[in-house]
Amino acid sequence: RGDVGTPDTPTTRHGMQQAEERHLMQRRGSIRRAFLMRWDLDILSLSKQGLVDLCVDIFRDANVLEPFGLGEDAIRSFVQAACAQYQDVPYHNFCHATHVVHATYMLMMTHEVLEYLTPLDRLTLLIAAVGHDINHDGRTNSFHVASGSDIAWNHNDASVLENHHCAMTWRLLADGPAALLRDMAPGDKTNLRSTLIALILSTDMSQHLELLTEFKNAEFSPEMGSREKLLFMKALLHSADMGNAVRAYRSAHALSQNVQTEFAEQVGEERERGIPSAPHMDPANDLVAWNLEANFIEYVCLPLWLRLSEAVPSLAPCIVQIHHTRDQFQLLAAGRDAEVDLQDGQWRGFGEEVPVGEARWGSPT
């Protein structure tokens, strides 16, 4: 694939990683929302400890600790325990989980969404984001069903990974040193559990069209009923899970390569086992792979985000960036690598214009 759109060299990235983490640590305890609420955070460059620190900052800034008497140490224990349960697979690792936590935070902290969600709703969303892919092994539901894995058998071939992620997350919340909910009021704990299960199960891509159709036909307001609110929360988490195209193109490109690597590893194992591979996981060449990525953005990601931006108008700038990212993948698919825009114009988040190259925490330099 050449060097088109790839991150900096390993040596440069290591230096940037150290500088960014030092900057983060300097702001520990007094970090300002302006340094978190940015779509251009370079999450890919952070170490696992940096990822944990970022997640803890997000929980603290989202004002979900004090209402439930939760301390920062308790949140850190939970996030650290979750991180340890994520496998080192190419894409569905704790870095992906942190991207989803950050995107969920970005969505729910907009002024419109803040009117819709209670502190318990926000806490549940962030916990779901942390655990939504916990212990993912880099294989799809269809692979687990076709291979007759223990996970598929344990969950009767239905949303097998998502059910597994739910169970793993709840065990962390309910038992052991990371038992975040040990002292939570029974009613709140019951509400959180039922909502958490519904949210994580909604990230199953086989449910995408059904969720999108329901989302398009619903109306949302601060006075919405519990059914509408749960649907809205599902859409928030699902959008965050498919939020790579909203980020700077360099990040979207790197994440796409990680997805393709994970797909290739599954295809290799399927060939060894004699299991048929899905066409989109086994493209004929790089041009086809980039075209598949562009089509995923166009026909899967974009419709969901368009409906979300209708419900949350302050997200409108995100649609511009999704179009931009899609266009860059279309250029790669056409073999026009030299025309790819590596700078993303002045996209830094929610329409704020920051000159390219200006040093900001987590921003590309």
Side-chain angles (χ1 to χ4, degrees), residues 157-326:
D157 294 351
S159 297
V160 295
L161 284 167
E162 290 74 24
N163 274 295
H164 179 61
H165 305 323
C166 284
M168 292 284 293
T169 302
W170 188 254
R171 288 192 185 100
L172 287 183
L173 291 169
D175 299 314
L180 192 63
L181 308 183
R182 183 183 294 111
D183 299 321
M184 179 173 278
D188 286 343
K189 186 183 294 188
T190 298
N191 186 318
L192 190 151
R193 174 172 167 77
S194 63
T195 305
L196 179 73
I197 293 171
L199 290 176
I200 295 180
L201 290 180
S202 73
T203 63
D204 184 349
M205 283 302 299
S206 70
Q207 309 299 316
H208 171 76
L209 288 178
E210 180 180 348
L211 174 60
L212 178 59
T213 300
E214 194 174 357
F215 189 40
K216 284 182 175 180
N217 294 328
E219 297 292 334
F220 306 103
S221 72
E223 295 77 31
M224 72 180 100
S226 57
R227 183 177 179 278
E228 288 75 18
K229 181 188 282 190
L230 180 58
L231 173 62
F232 185 73
M233 292 171 68
K234 288 179 180 179
L236 288 179
L237 183 63
H238 189 42
S239 298
D241 196 20
M242 295 199 303
N244 294 343
V246 184
R247 300 186 179 276
Y249 167 69
R250 282 178 178 267
S251 292
H253 182 280
L255 291 166
S256 177
Q257 286 190 307
N258 292 344
V259 171
Q260 292 174 33
T261 299
E262 196 166 284
F263 281 178
E265 290 183 359
Q266 176 170 317
V267 168
E269 185 171 352
E270 286 171 335
R271 286 173 178 163
E272 292 177 0
R273 291 169 171 255
I275 298 173
S277 298
H280 72 277
M281 298 182 69
D282 190 20
N285 53 54
D286 286 349
L287 298 183
V288 174
W290 296 132
N291 188 58
L292 288 168
E293 183 68 37
N295 286 342
F296 178 82
I297 295 173
E298 175 74 17
Y299 299 110
V300 181
C301 174
L302 187 56
L304 178 63
W305 276 83
L306 281 170
R307 176 64 186 106
L308 186 62
S309 69
E310 293 173 355
V312 186
S314 63
L315 296 177
C318 295
I319 305 305
V320 177
Q321 180 64 15
I322 293 174
H323 282 128
H324 170 79
T325 301
R326 176 207 58 197

Side-chain angles (χ1 to χ4, degrees), residues 92-110:
H92 288 97
N93 48 47
F94 191 68
C95 186
H96 165 65
T98 304
H99 276 98
V100 177
V101 170
H102 179 253
T104 300
Y105 163 81
M106 292 286 286
L107 297 178
M108 73 184 194
M109 296 303 283
T110 58

